[in-house]
Amino acid sequence: MNYNIGAYIIFLVLMVVIIVVAGKYFFTNGRVFCHSLLAQNTALGDPINKLLLVAYYLFNIGYAFTKLQHWQKIDSLEGLFSSLAANMGTLILILAGTHYFNMVAIYLLSRSKLFSITHKSFHL
């Protein structure tokens, strides 16, 4: 018996839920970081935060769907759970890695004297 279709459905449902819940959490708590980077400029910080959320959803949900292409045939329940654990674990590690990369990038940009989007000579 082939368990791949069941594994795909379980994987996609769980990963989309995890991605959406984590995205909402990052969005609400990441607002502080965007505002600190932009010197409390809420008119610019909120749209940037929303743009980061959309990019986060597109990247991670897209990756979850493309991950299905590389699965081997699953012939047993043991293989089903093993495959789900390995694939979900990989995607969750990628989520954590991209989150920490973004936090380091925001920190470095906020500390940089070259990047000053709120500088008086900068006009939109």
Side-chain angles (χ1 to χ4, degrees), residues 8 11-12 58-71 87 91 94:
Y8 296 161
F11 174 77
L12 288 176
L58 290 174
F59 176 77
N60 290 304
I61 292 174
Y63 182 76
F65 274 87
T66 59
K67 186 80 173 151
L68 299 179
Q69 182 179 12
H70 302 289
W71 278 16
N87 286 303
L91 190 58
I94 289 171

Side-chain angles (χ1 to χ4, degrees), residues 5-17:
I5 300 299
Y8 296 161
I9 293 169
I10 294 168
F11 174 77
L12 288 176
V13 168
L14 290 176
M15 290 316 303
V16 168
V17 167

Side-chain angles (χ1 to χ4, degrees), residues 34-54:
C34 286
H35 289 188
S36 69
L37 176 63
L38 300 169
Q40 303 302 323
N41 186 353
T42 58
L44 191 57
D46 289 337
I48 288 175
N49 197 25
K50 288 178 185 175
L51 182 65
L52 288 171
L53 178 66
V54 170

